[in-house]
Amino acid sequence: MIDLRSDTVTKPTPAMRRAMAEAEVGDDVLDGDPTVRRLEAQVAARLGKPSALYFPTGTMANQAALWLLGEPGTEVFCHDDSHIVNWEIAGTAALAGLQVRAVRGGPVLTADALRAAIRPASVHAPRASLVCAENTHNGAGGMVTPLAELRAIRAVADELGIPLHLDGARLWNASVATGTSLADFAACAATVMVSFSKGLGAPVGACLVGDAGPMRRAWEVRKRFGGGMRQSGILAAAALHGLEQHLPRLHEDHTRARHLAARLAAVPGVEVVPPDTNIVMLDLVAGQTAMGVVERAKALGVLCTPWHATRVRCVLHLDVDDVAVARAGEVLAEALRP
Ligand SMILES: *Cc1c(COP(=O)(O)O)cnc(C)c1O
């Protein structure tokens, strides 16, 4: 089976497993795990922020940021199709006490759409306390928000006097695709989440990075959420290995995504969203259903995701090589036939 459902399906390589087995460890809740400390220092340096904190998942790190930066009983601006709105089980409401002000208009958040969603000040209407952006944007097919747009979003947040959190689960991909440094992207936001379990190929984990103010309380919030881990250096070693060995190869996933998109562009009945990074979205325009296409592809040996009723998502990653992507192209072309 060729598995294109997500870049989370990668299995740790033998070299990553060796790095994990040999990691120097300590009790991270008690007095710090040396490998976790090394990872946090390296991630803070790469993103140009004073501080980084290792989390078991990106979801917990996003939720911690919402909790830290948002004010209960106010609104958070999020793109309508963002991970925080769609895939975190309404943690905004259940944990942070925030109401989502879903921003529509365009496949990703823009400064113009954000500005249009601002409510006129009124004692009868909710205030907003936070803006969240996502880069790259998963629901939009791994689309990059360029630095100039992210800066414009930050400028709107500044006008409102509220902070910006960046869900940068795949910020690595945005940086590789554009040549914009991670630090330039990160400078736009008060806090940034980056994930190790997507393109970098680690089994789990994420970091929240940020300015000194919010990060002083992040350790406490992580502990309260049940995210204090002990000999977590075993996991941090996988993330360090991913940064050293797999970040430099991320461009290969982008090239393969373009190859897959080019192969399928000529197939009747499908509109391919041109990929910025490692995700290829296939829009079905001849009456096929995503479920039908996914089932046919599965029977032929390729797994992909029915993103919604008429959209199929294919994700390139570490465990899909040139031979596999060529084969996946032929199988999908067959499965997409109306
Ligand atoms: C995967 C993902 C997350 C959550 O990360 P987990 O480690 O799976 O909890 C958050 N945001 C985006 C955009 C993601 O793709």
Side-chain angles (χ1 to χ4, degrees):
M1 277 286 176
I2 299 168
D3 196 344
L4 305 181
R5 287 173 302 167
S6 175
D7 45 10
T8 58
V9 300
T10 54
K11 306 228 171 70
T13 61
M16 183 179 278
R17 285 175 187 263
R18 270 198 303 282
M20 296 172 75
E22 289 162 10
E24 192 193 336
V25 295
D27 187 329
D28 194 53
V29 177
L30 215 54
D31 49 15
D33 173 293
T35 305
V36 171
R37 290 255 169 98
R38 199 150 60 80
L39 173 66
E40 290 171 343
Q42 196 184 120
V43 171
R46 282 178 188 260
L47 276 90
K49 291 285 195 202
S51 170
L53 192 67
Y54 183 59
F55 277 76
T57 66
T59 301
M60 191 190 284
N62 270 344
Q63 291 300 321
L66 291 165
W67 205 95
L68 281 167
L69 302 179
E71 191 188 319
T74 67
E75 289 190 317
V76 52
F77 291 103
C78 292
H79 186 267
D80 190 36
D81 201 13
S82 62
H83 194 280
I84 287 173
V85 171
N86 286 331
W87 309 113
E88 301 189 12
I89 328 287
T92 38
L95 302 174
L98 291 164
Q99 172 165 293
V100 169
R101 179 79 168 150
V103 181
R104 298 189 174 86
V108 302
L109 184 69
T110 62
D112 284 347
L114 175 60
R115 198 181 294 283
I118 296 170
R119 297 174 190 275
S122 159
V123 288
H124 306 292
R127 272 186 303 118
S129 63
L130 178 62
V131 179
C132 292
E134 184 177 314
N135 202 12
T136 65
H137 194 287
N138 181 22
M143 193 178 283
V144 173
T145 301
L147 183 61
E149 188 63 44
L150 200 61
R151 284 184 172 154
I153 290 168
R154 163 63 185 268
V156 176
D158 282 348
E159 282 169 34
L160 294 170
I162 62 180
L164 173 67
H165 167 68
L166 177 58
D167 176 347
R170 295 187 183 81
L171 194 64
W172 320 110
N173 299 80
S175 175
V176 165
T178 56
T180 300
S181 73
L182 293 162
D184 279 345
F185 279 127
C188 298
T191 52
V192 184
M193 183 276 273
V194 286
S195 168
F196 306 115
S197 65
K198 307 280 166 80
L200 299 190
V204 297
C207 266
L208 187 68
V209 302
D211 296 333
M215 293 305 291
R216 262 195 296 277
R217 287 162 55 229
W219 192 94
E220 216 173 273
V221 176
R222 182 185 66 174
K223 171 106 180 176
R224 183 176 295 145
F225 282 176
M229 297 177 288
R230 305 293 179 175
Q231 285 73 32
S232 38
I234 300 264
L235 298 169
L240 280 164
H241 184 85
L243 284 171
E244 283 150 22
Q245 303 297 322
H246 299 160
L247 184 53
R249 62 150 301 285
L250 219 48
H251 63 94
E252 293 177 21
D253 297 339
H254 301 179
T255 304
R256 291 188 182 117
R258 284 196 298 275
H259 288 167
L260 185 63
R263 170 66 186 88
L264 299 174
V267 174
V270 61
E271 276 171 13
V272 182
V273 180
D276 280 355
T277 56
N278 67 323
I279 301 177
V280 182
M281 291 292 197
L282 307 171
D283 287 324
L284 311 175
V285 294
Q288 317 101 303
T289 64
M291 262 333 283
V293 170
V294 165
E295 285 304 319
R296 278 199 296 282
K298 185 177 176 184
L300 297 168
V302 173
L303 300 175
C304 42
T305 302
W307 192 249
H308 58 62
T310 57
R311 174 172 269 205
V312 174
R313 188 184 78 159
C314 301
V315 187
L316 283 299
H317 54 75
L318 191 55
D319 293 351
V320 181
D321 62 13
D322 285 331
V323 174
V325 84
R327 169 94 193 115
E330 296 315 309
V331 163
L332 285 164
E334 176 66 27
L336 284 162
R337 219 176 289 284

